[in-house]
Amino acid sequence: MKYFSYLKQDQIRSIFYKEPERFSRNDSKEKLAYALGSTLYMPATREHIIEDILKNMKKGLMTIVLCLEDAIGDNQVKAAEQNLIQNMEKLNCLIEDNQISYDDIPLLFIRIRNAEQMSRLASALSDKLNLITGFVFPKFSYDKGEEYFKELERINKETDNIIYGMPILESKEIIYSESRKAELYKLAQIFDKYNELVLNVRIGATDFCSLFGIRRSYSASIYDIQVIRDCIGDIVNVLCRVDRNFVVSAPVWEYFSSGDRLLKPLLRSTPFTKKFGEKMGTEMRAQLLNQYLDGLLREIELDKANGLCGKTIIHPSHIVPVQSMYVVTHEEYTDALGIMKNQNGDIGVFKSEYSNKMNEIKPHINWARKVLSRAEIYGVFNKEMKYLDLLYYSV
């Protein structure tokens, strides 16, 4: 798999200073944790799962979660399980018939309801289990959390697979202020214990909001909802500190089509018209605004500023905007390389190549490592290129 592989070679050369590198589900956990990008949730009841997967692969989708939990009705569970199993058999047949390469299929995850269901599905999938990268654990809490990882550990040993777990933090124990920190510290102990199985930690902001009867509008980022913002800060504080360094992904953006706007759009027209001309720039900006992607792009900037990497999505129109925002800028890359190259102790601080900031070796080393991890997966923009150029070739 390779990000932005749908681009032509001359477009890749024009956009990227450093191309995205190929990766596979067999790469190290540390690499895969940064590779999830836009993670599309899909109800396991969908009739044409494989067709949807193949269609979205052409748009650059790398990660899919087949949901057996909130995305389906309680009365649909049995049918959804059977549908999922049949579709994995169909996918396996396509691979065996050389209609699709095993190395090119997206990272596939199954969002389960409980550990017993995970065990049952692993058994039913049998030799097709190698198509699955991991299981997603909903409403993860200390009381039931270790049960998931114990069962996952057993499945891996018995099937000789490497299947990961992705806990979703969305329970009341985490969002309620009086229990949050104690719960997070206890969850961190579970994650530390099963470190090799924890691929990524996800934040279920929609479930958090539901506990307060809140639903944000298109004009509000998740960071404008103070009770959620405070919780995200504590999650990052406990799980992303340098001595732990789990990768935490950002909550979903719910909107994909616009209506009447009360407030001004968040995308300035000048960058579009300056880059692509009056007519094309105006049309491109309008297309993004019609899908409420200005709010999504702003939220991704805030996700990154708060230490999150990757984002849950619920619509294919979000694939490229999310992934384009995780490409490393040329300025970030040169800063990170300079910091990593000057660890020999001869200097402690130096002026950046862009001559607009000072880079301190010790305080910025952890940031530099994360930037270079992203650069491997998503690539590095050429000096004059930005996410708009990727959107231009992709929307």
Side-chain angles (χ1 to χ4, degrees):
M1 290 178 284
K2 182 180 178 180
Y3 273 96
F4 313 112
S5 60
Y6 55 83
L7 295 174
K8 297 177 181 178
Q9 196 56 45
D10 61 328
Q11 294 170 341
I12 290 175
R13 284 195 298 268
S14 172
I15 293 171
F16 290 99
Y17 175 81
K18 171 183 165 59
E19 287 185 32
E21 297 180 9
R22 288 196 172 274
F23 67 96
S24 79
R25 63 185 36 75
N26 298 319
D27 279 328
S28 69
K29 188 201 80 164
E30 289 70 27
K31 188 170 187 176
L32 283 182
Y34 283 94
L36 301 186
S38 307
T39 300
L40 179 67
Y41 274 59
M42 186 182 298
T45 50
R46 286 184 74 94
E47 186 177 352
H48 303 294
I49 287 177
I50 300 306
E51 290 80 357
D52 288 341
I53 289 175
L54 298 179
K55 180 175 68 176
N56 286 307
M57 281 173 58
K58 295 178 182 177
K59 300 177 183 178
L61 183 65
M62 297 292 177
T63 312
I64 294 175
V65 175
L66 301 173
C67 185
L68 291 166
E69 204 230 0
D70 283 351
I72 68 171
D74 292 341
N75 298 327
Q76 296 179 299
V77 175
K78 197 169 185 179
E81 288 182 5
Q82 192 59 39
N83 188 53
L84 188 153
I85 293 165
Q86 290 173 353
N87 274 276
M88 291 304 101
E89 291 172 349
K90 183 177 180 180
L91 180 59
N92 191 62
C93 288
L94 291 175
I95 294 170
E96 289 181 344
D97 292 343
N98 295 316
Q99 295 185 47
I100 182 174
S101 167
Y102 172 82
D103 291 332
D104 288 336
I105 63 172
L107 303 174
L108 297 177
F109 295 84
I110 302 173
R111 185 182 185 182
I112 53 176
R113 293 189 166 216
N114 49 57
E116 186 276 329
Q117 185 181 46
M118 175 171 61
S119 179
R120 188 170 66 253
L121 283 171
S123 177
L125 286 167
S126 185
D127 58 333
K128 284 78 174 180
L129 192 59
N130 68 336
L131 300 174
I132 304 301
T133 302
F135 290 97
V136 179
F137 306 148
K139 298 172 180 62
F140 197 87
S141 66
Y142 181 74
D143 289 342
K144 298 180 180 178
E146 190 160 5
E147 180 184 358
Y148 282 112
F149 281 109
K150 280 183 178 178
E151 185 59 22
L152 182 61
E153 192 174 54
R154 183 197 66 77
I155 290 169
N156 280 335
K157 287 178 180 177
E158 290 190 1
T159 62
D160 197 28
N161 277 292
I162 302 176
I163 309 294
Y164 295 104
M166 290 204 298
I168 309 180
L169 306 186
E170 53 187 350
S171 67
K172 63 183 181 180
E173 293 86 357
I174 296 170
I175 191 64
Y176 291 168
S177 59
E178 69 271 18
S179 55
R180 178 186 307 146
K181 290 186 178 179
E183 180 75 5
L184 286 173
Y185 294 147
K186 291 190 292 184
L187 290 181
Q189 293 174 10
I190 295 177
F191 298 158
D192 289 342
K193 181 177 179 180
Y194 296 95
N195 184 286
E196 293 306 309
L197 296 178
V198 182
L199 181 60
N200 188 287
V201 179
R202 313 196 73 79
I203 299 175
T206 303
D207 277 51
F208 282 155
C209 285
S210 73
L211 293 167
F212 302 94
I214 293 172
R215 185 173 190 180
R216 58 189 170 120
S217 70
Y218 70 87
S219 62
S221 85
I222 200 65
Y223 301 94
D224 293 318
I225 311 301
Q226 185 165 329
V227 68
I228 310 298
R229 182 197 66 198
D230 292 348
C231 184
I232 290 174
D234 284 339
I235 290 170
V236 171
N237 191 315
V238 174
L239 298 182
C240 299
R241 56 184 64 177
V242 68
D243 57 345
R244 192 165 276 133
N245 250 344
F246 288 105
V247 177
V248 177
S249 67
V252 68
W253 173 262
E254 296 179 344
Y255 294 91
F256 55 85
S257 181
S258 70
D260 294 331
R261 287 177 179 265
L262 176 64
L263 303 177
K264 287 183 178 180
L266 296 169
L267 292 177
R268 294 188 301 118
S269 59
T270 303
F272 290 88
T273 55
K274 185 177 179 181
K275 186 79 178 179
F276 305 113
E278 187 72 31
K279 184 175 185 297
M280 186 175 294
T282 300
E283 289 176 355
M284 184 177 175
R285 177 175 177 267
Q287 184 175 349
L288 296 176
L289 295 178
N290 286 340
Q291 297 173 317
Y292 280 140
L293 294 182
D294 53 329
L296 171 62
L297 295 172
R298 173 176 176 257
E299 185 163 289
I300 299 166
E301 286 282 14
L302 294 171
D303 292 337
K304 290 163 59 180
N306 283 279
L308 307 182
C309 184
K311 196 167 185 67
T312 297
I313 64 171
I314 43 79
H315 196 271
S317 64
H318 296 169
I319 296 170
V320 175
V322 171
Q323 293 172 174
S324 67
M325 294 288 282
Y326 279 98
V327 178
V328 173
T329 67
H330 185 267
E331 181 175 349
E332 289 176 316
Y333 187 64
T334 55
D335 284 344
L337 278 183
I339 291 164
M340 297 301 290
K341 289 178 179 177
N342 284 287
Q343 296 181 75
N344 57 12
D346 291 341
I347 60 172
V349 63
F350 65 96
K351 184 170 70 173
S352 76
E353 187 176 306
Y354 278 66
S355 299
N356 61 354
K357 71 179 80 65
M358 300 303 292
N359 290 323
E360 293 187 70
I361 308 299
K362 290 180 180 179
H364 292 141
I365 193 73
N366 194 35
W367 170 85
R369 290 193 185 103
K370 292 183 177 184
V371 166
L372 295 180
S373 293
R374 272 176 45 216
E376 282 186 29
I377 299 296
Y378 303 100
V380 179
F381 282 125
N382 271 322
K383 195 169 185 178
E384 301 303 322
M385 295 292 171
K386 299 289 183 183
Y387 72 90
L388 284 182
D389 299 278
L390 266 178
L391 291 178
Y392 171 72
Y393 288 116
S394 304
V395 298

